Amino acid sequence: MTTSTAFLIRALEARTLDTVRCTRRDAADRPVEALPAGGGEPLRCCLRDAEAGEALLLFGYAPPGAAGPYREIGPVFAHAVACSGPEPAGGHPPAWRGRAQVLRAYDRQGRIHGGRLHDGTDPEAVIAELFADPAVYELHSRNVVYGCFMFAVERAAG
């Protein structure tokens, strides 16, 4: 988890990753794929891109949120063994700054409540804009081309 004064960035939870690594089953109870990184795969455990040759897992993941019709399972990459997690620098993942992403907004019932495409130059401004709507409970950052879940964004406490 990385933080800002206004929001929290959440990578995949260590507990979820431990379960996937131990059981070798994903959110849909399908087998997990183990593979070497070609380089550039977005790692949801540490919020950076993989370097060529790193041992990875590819598996189906259900992002946080209320169960319902908008809950989906999609592919994600993570290290095959536990890593140190995201950089503690705070805010948007530094390694992904400048990367265009879709920020999808959800309400407390897990229903989509708008969203925005951003070009990666000032993701904090787009996050703040979406959180200006009190009905928005959390955001999911998504890959523009593939639509895959990248990380969750929550309002900071207080």
Side-chain angles (χ1 to χ4, degrees):
M1 170 179 63
T2 60
T3 61
S4 153
T5 56
F7 60 88
L8 305 171
I9 301 290
R10 297 213 182 267
L12 268 60
E13 290 186 8
R15 179 176 39 157
T16 299
L17 291 164
D18 290 345
T19 299
V20 168
R21 289 174 180 134
C22 179
T23 65
R24 297 294 193 184
R25 307 297 291 182
D26 70 9
D29 198 31
R30 294 179 299 228
V32 169
E33 292 183 34
L35 65 157
E41 296 87 341
L43 300 171
R44 280 38 166 243
C45 49
C46 54
L47 305 182
R48 68 166 177 82
D49 290 341
E51 296 177 18
E54 288 185 282
L56 305 182
L57 297 177
L58 174 61
F59 58 96
Y61 174 71
Y70 290 94
R71 187 104 191 256
E72 44 190 304
I73 296 174
V76 296
F77 290 98
H79 281 116
V81 297
C83 66
S84 60
E87 291 182 33
H92 190 274
W96 293 344
R97 186 164 292 285
R99 177 179 286 177
Q101 294 283 284
V102 171
L103 286 171
R104 190 183 296 166
Y106 292 87
D107 64 17
R108 287 190 177 276
Q109 290 73 44
R111 295 191 178 272
I112 294 174
H113 192 79
R116 279 269 316 275
L117 172 67
H118 70 86
D119 67 4
T121 57
D122 192 4
E124 293 84 0
V126 179
I127 291 168
E129 177 185 321
L130 291 167
F131 277 144
D133 181 342
V136 173
Y137 176 69
E138 76 178 355
L139 308 172
H140 290 177
S141 183
R142 301 250 172 187
N143 182 289
V144 172
V145 175
Y146 300 108
C148 305
F149 173 84
M150 300 294 281
F151 55 86
V153 186
E154 299 175 4
R155 294 177 190 274

